[in-house]
Amino acid sequence: MAGETLQVYFLGTAGALPTPNRNPSCVMIRRGSDTLLFDCGEGAQQQMMRARTGFLVDAIFITHWHADHFLGVPGLVQTLAFNGRTEPLPVYGPEGVHDFVDYTLKIGRTRLSFDLQPVTLAPGSIVRFDGYGVEAFATCHGMTSIGYVLREDSRPGRFDREKAISLGVQPGPLFGRLQRGEAVTVVRDGEDVTVTPDEILGPPRRGRMVIYSGDTRPLHHGPISGLEDADLLIHDATFDDTELDRAGEVFHSTAGEAGEAAAALRAQTLALVHISSRYTSTANHIQDAGQRFEGEVLAPSDLTMVEIPFRE
């Protein structure tokens, strides 16, 4: 629905090894009343407590089956059950998600109060929600892996109030119907006249878009069609640019490569995540990315929240 808030919580921004200040990978996106988790590393539920987000999770999306991206799920589902959850919880991921859910249920050794529903996704798969979708795309991590793009539907064009009144539409419920794309009937010069939305509304306005890469080589090294012009690109930046060769060997990216990806994709803002435990500062990461990307560059600390506004 138009006007919904879109908030991104960086609950875990560490690389494979956590640090005292960074948890394993977990990004929460809240869109209106929906709450989605993208990866769920160890300790994710404690991060949710610290961020005061609550536990109303509608879906979990896993990028790949390295443990630092999914070990938080067993503890989280136990907590949800203890809290009395009854609604099913879908867990989306690449091939292997059914095995993962089976293992999660077996090691818990308790009967959950809700269904944990595995759903296999492949590049191009789209999960529809009210007013937006989450699409999987291919990533390069030396194993089966996918990233995700949350893409809102287009919003109606800007409503021309004065034009509507001039056509005989009085302020009130008819305005709302036109804004929702419905034609309305008014009386003009003693006759019934139909007024259509295209007479009142400007061209459709783009929805917001957030990309989460997961662990990967730079996105622009592969197909990028459909990922352009994101409001926020959350990209692997495990290393700074002094470790360029190492990044290639282990199928990760440097901050500079993330900057190149952001520039190639024409993103508005770049967030650098999956920071290796060898770094106590991200100053070099920000500098490396900034040399290749002119937009805003963030290296968010854990528990940072970023709100995505509409672009007019």
Side-chain angles (χ1 to χ4, degrees):
M1 295 175 64
E4 299 283 11
T5 58
L6 185 60
Q7 299 172 326
V8 180
Y9 291 82
F10 293 91
L11 300 182
T13 60
L17 296 177
T19 73
N21 299 315
R22 292 185 186 273
N23 265 41
S25 296
C26 185
V27 171
M28 173 188 283
I29 299 183
R30 276 196 162 154
R31 199 268 181 185
S33 61
D34 294 345
T35 299
L36 313 180
L37 289 184
F38 293 86
D39 286 330
C40 187
E42 182 181 354
Q45 61 176 324
Q46 290 178 299
Q47 294 294 80
M48 294 164 72
M49 295 176 194
R50 295 179 180 112
R52 301 180 182 276
T53 62
F55 291 114
L56 296 178
V57 178
D58 295 287
I60 300 174
F61 292 84
I62 305 295
T63 57
H64 65 289
W65 303 115
H66 280 158
D68 57 311
H69 292 256
F70 65 76
L71 278 181
V73 174
L76 176 60
V77 298
Q78 293 293 319
T79 296
L80 295 177
F82 290 148
N83 286 344
R85 182 188 181 107
T86 58
E87 300 84 3
L89 177 60
V91 179
Y92 300 97
E95 182 179 353
V97 67
H98 285 77
D99 289 340
F100 168 69
V101 167
D102 286 344
Y103 296 148
T104 298
L105 295 174
K106 287 176 182 177
I107 64 175
R109 293 185 179 273
T110 184
R111 188 176 185 85
L112 295 180
S113 57
F114 60 94
D115 289 334
L116 199 60
Q117 299 176 332
V119 182
T120 301
L121 300 181
S125 298
I126 301 177
V127 181
R128 285 294 310 171
F129 295 89
D130 184 17
Y132 67 100
V134 175
E135 180 177 351
F137 61 87
T139 57
C140 178
H141 191 44
M143 65 182 300
T144 301
S145 63
I146 52 180
Y148 297 102
V149 51
L150 185 154
R151 195 193 317 268
E152 288 184 325
D153 300 344
S154 296
R155 292 181 292 148
R158 192 172 297 281
F159 186 80
D160 189 335
R161 176 187 173 89
E162 299 306 319
K163 178 69 175 299
I165 292 174
S166 73
L167 292 176
V169 184
Q170 295 304 308
L174 295 184
F175 273 22
R177 290 177 57 188
L178 283 165
Q179 289 174 311
R180 292 190 296 270
E182 302 175 26
V184 301
T185 299
V186 300
V187 177
R188 197 163 64 215
D189 298 329
E191 297 182 1
D192 288 345
V193 177
T194 298
V195 179
T196 59
D198 61 324
E199 297 179 83
I200 305 298
L201 301 178
R205 293 173 289 176
R206 65 180 300 280
R208 294 163 294 186
M209 187 167 82
V210 177
I211 298 172
Y212 175 62
S213 76
D215 294 1
T216 184
R217 294 294 294 144
L219 292 185
H220 68 298
H221 284 184
I224 62 174
S225 178
L227 300 183
E228 300 91 346
D229 201 29
D231 295 271
L232 176 64
L233 168 63
I234 306 168
H235 199 292
D236 181 338
T238 304
F239 304 102
D240 65 22
D241 281 5
T242 63
E243 298 287 345
L244 187 63
D245 292 340
R246 177 64 177 160
E249 291 170 2
V250 295
F251 296 96
H252 283 288
S253 299
T254 70
E257 289 177 319
E260 290 175 356
L265 296 172
R266 304 192 307 278
Q268 296 295 301
T269 300
L270 169 65
L272 307 173
V273 295
H274 204 266
I275 307 299
S276 170
S277 60
R278 71 184 65 191
Y279 301 104
T280 58
S281 168
T282 55
N284 287 343
H285 285 69
I286 293 174
Q287 178 178 326
D288 293 342
Q291 290 177 347
R292 295 164 175 79
F293 174 58
E294 295 181 354
E296 183 179 11
V297 178
L298 310 173
S301 303
D302 278 18
L303 308 185
T304 298
M305 189 277 282
V306 174
E307 185 153 351
I308 311 297
F310 288 103
R311 265 192 276 167
E312 298 300 339

